[in-house]
Amino acid sequence: MYLQGFGNHHQSEAVPGALPGSQNSPQHCNLGLYAEQLSGTAFTRPRHNNLHSWLYRILPSVVQGTYQAYEMELFKPYHAEQPPNPLRWSPIDLFKEEDFDFVEGMFHIAGSQNVNAYLYHCTRSMHDKYFANNDGEMLFVPYLGEVNLHTEFGKLNICPGMIAVIPRGVKFKMELISTETKGYLCENQGNPLTLPQLGPMGANGLANPRHFQYPVAAFEQGISEATLICKYQNKLWTAKCNHSPLNVVAWHGNYAPYSYDLSLFNTINTVSFDHPDPSIFTVLTSESDTPGIANLDFVIFPPRWMVAEHTFRPPYFHRNYMNELMGLIRGEYDAKKEGFLPGGVSIHNCMTPHGPDHTSYEQAVTEKLEPKLYLNTLAFMFETRDAWLITEQAMRIPQLQKDYSDCWQGFESKFQYP
């Protein structure tokens, strides 16, 4: 069971009477609980975008051990040279013969000052091990397997075709429902993700606030020793705790984990000619201090009808101010017939030319333009104002396609004077 509605003030209690009355921090909390405020924005941020929640827990978060450096290095150094070339990777599967949990199975592929992109692959649940990211919120985009994300606020269940967001600082662990899970992960260190403005679209379209799901309070007991892993200042730290950090019995507020089913996205498209910019597919955005230029946009290319007439229907050739990292959840992307698979990644940074490959182009300019349903497809894009800097490990793995640019080499000059 979930609470619904993006950005609304929610409340939930696992035990009746755990929530206080009119006071957020009463002198004595009900049921012997401790009140703790979790603020996702500065205290003085305007009310309409101030994010915070009150947690009523069995023990406060301060009751834990001292953090020490963790032996695993998650944030990888960037490659020494960053050429302005289009880049693409085949599915990155580097852990075929190991048994590993979510933290151990993360692969840092690219990043910048404000965002980082990872792939994750895990075959083992986290039982007495918990993770929190103090550097930023985490956007999960799975493409294989089903998991439960156990958070301080309760559980979220996600599978391919869904996303989940864990806010900055929220502790959680991943439980596998299937034998393994794989997915993409974006770490946003800027403003928290929110719904984009609809502008001339009006009140409806794109992602509907009511379709976002928030967890119902659930607490965990019976764990006498827990391991906490924290990402802070781009390093991992670990501490011991004599109880589960998921000990929140009740909560209320608007700063909490949430999930969303991408099939509920209300796609907007043209019914005449040409096609709008891909910004019409924006699910969530992290606004920057420059209006109209996002710190991060999460964009999807879902199943949809294409009906435009006298139009080149696939994405057109373009060079873009923004920096694009694309992944595929299922099916085929309409601008790439080969070489772009679920688990793969492509990166086209600022002003790097890209667009449909030669095969896709020839099909698009010769086929009869009848209404067409793109059914078995779901791709996404992490788009940011900062260049995606490729990590050293991503530049050295064999999955980097050295011949990616060859997909455009079949074009010939067909120009003729009148």
Side-chain angles (χ1 to χ4, degrees):
M1 184 175 180
Y2 296 94
L3 308 174
Q4 291 185 303
F6 186 88
N8 294 328
H9 189 103
H10 300 292
Q11 65 178 38
S12 179
E13 56 185 7
V15 177
L19 283 171
S22 58
Q23 293 175 298
N24 293 326
S25 181
Q27 184 179 15
H28 300 287
C29 292
N30 297 342
L31 309 182
L33 299 173
Y34 293 87
E36 180 177 289
Q37 183 175 232
L38 179 62
S39 295
T41 56
F43 295 136
T44 53
R45 197 175 188 189
R47 180 187 290 267
H48 69 278
N49 55 13
N50 193 301
L51 301 176
H52 67 282
S53 288
W54 282 93
L55 313 179
Y56 302 93
R57 43 196 328 143
I58 298 172
L59 286 171
S61 295
V62 293
V63 184
Q64 64 183 44
T66 302
Y67 277 108
Q68 308 290 337
Y70 190 56
E71 65 274 10
M72 174 184 161
E73 181 185 5
L74 175 62
F75 189 84
K76 299 297 184 180
Y78 296 129
H79 189 60
E81 296 181 354
Q82 300 283 334
N85 296 325
L87 298 170
R88 188 168 69 182
W89 289 261
S90 301
I92 299 174
D93 189 3
L94 303 178
F95 311 101
K96 292 181 179 178
E97 298 180 358
E98 298 182 20
D99 182 35
F100 40 86
D101 61 29
F102 164 70
V103 178
E104 297 162 345
M106 293 176 66
F107 183 89
H108 185 204
I109 188 167
S112 70
Q113 183 178 355
N114 293 308
V115 293
N116 282 291
Y118 307 85
L119 290 103
Y120 65 88
H121 178 192
C122 51
T123 60
R124 184 178 73 245
S125 296
M126 300 166 66
H127 296 291
D128 54 359
K129 186 177 179 180
Y130 306 84
F131 185 77
N133 191 334
N134 289 4
D135 288 337
E137 64 184 342
M138 305 176 75
L139 167 60
F140 290 80
V141 187
Y143 68 88
L144 176 70
E146 179 184 2
V147 302
N148 283 330
L149 296 174
H150 291 243
T151 79
E152 294 180 76
F153 293 75
K155 297 180 183 179
L156 290 174
N157 175 269
I158 59 170
C159 58
M162 301 179 68
I163 61 170
V165 173
I166 305 292
R168 183 195 303 257
V170 172
K171 298 180 179 70
F172 71 95
K173 66 178 182 179
M174 181 181 286
E175 175 196 18
L176 273 65
I177 306 301
S178 52
T179 56
E180 65 176 334
T181 183
K182 299 180 182 180
Y184 303 89
L185 176 64
C186 190
E187 174 194 32
N188 170 35
Q189 299 187 16
N191 283 323
L193 289 163
T194 187
L195 295 175
Q197 302 300 322
L198 293 178
M201 292 182 199
N204 301 292
L206 308 187
N208 193 314
R210 67 188 292 262
H211 293 147
F212 287 80
Q213 298 185 328
Y214 287 73
V216 170
F219 60 95
E220 186 176 65
Q221 287 184 304
I223 291 179
S224 58
E225 182 176 84
T227 300
L228 309 180
I229 308 294
C230 177
K231 181 176 181 290
Y232 175 68
Q233 297 292 301
N234 289 327
K235 294 183 181 298
L236 291 184
W237 306 85
T238 183
K240 295 296 183 180
C241 188
N242 63 4
H243 63 279
S244 169
L246 311 185
N247 65 353
V248 177
V249 181
W251 65 271
H252 69 86
N254 62 354
Y255 187 68
Y258 56 88
S259 64
Y260 176 70
D261 184 342
L262 296 175
S263 68
L264 300 175
F265 186 79
N266 186 8
T267 309
I268 304 296
N269 219 328
T270 182
V271 294
S272 55
F273 63 90
D274 284 345
H275 52 88
D277 293 325
S279 50
I280 61 169
F281 298 115
T282 302
V283 181
L284 295 167
T285 185
S286 166
E287 298 174 346
S288 74
D289 52 3
T290 304
I293 301 179
N295 171 63
L296 173 69
D297 282 332
F298 174 63
V299 179
I300 64 170
F301 302 98
R304 61 201 183 277
W305 282 99
M306 297 288 281
V307 300
E309 299 179 323
H310 312 295
T311 295
F312 182 75
R313 287 181 175 174
Y316 40 78
F317 299 109
H318 61 291
R319 293 177 293 164
N320 190 8
Y321 170 83
M322 300 290 277
N323 304 271
E324 304 173 3
L325 185 152
M326 284 196 63
L328 187 63
I329 300 170
R330 65 170 180 264
E332 178 184 280
Y333 181 54
D334 58 336
K336 296 290 188 297
K337 297 300 181 185
E338 297 180 357
F340 189 47
L341 301 171
V345 173
S346 68
I347 292 180
H348 305 112
N349 274 326
C350 177
M351 298 304 168
T352 298
H354 56 289
D357 58 30
H358 182 251
T359 302
S360 302
Y361 176 85
E362 290 297 328
Q363 178 180 330
V365 297
T366 57
E367 66 181 354
K368 184 178 179 181
L369 292 185
E370 298 177 330
K372 182 178 181 180
L373 176 61
Y374 288 86
L375 185 60
N376 184 31
T377 183
L378 183 57
F380 74 90
M381 182 164 63
F382 299 144
E383 187 175 67
T384 174
R385 63 177 179 175
D386 297 323
W388 288 105
L389 303 179
I390 317 304
T391 63
E392 189 69 43
Q393 64 175 356
M395 291 297 288
R396 293 185 178 277
I397 57 175
Q399 288 85 352
L400 177 62
Q401 298 178 10
K402 305 293 187 181
D403 60 350
Y404 175 36
S405 294
D406 290 352
C407 72
W408 292 295
Q409 300 311 310
F411 291 99
E412 299 176 351
S413 174
K414 299 180 180 181
F415 175 71
Q416 296 178 348
Y417 286 100

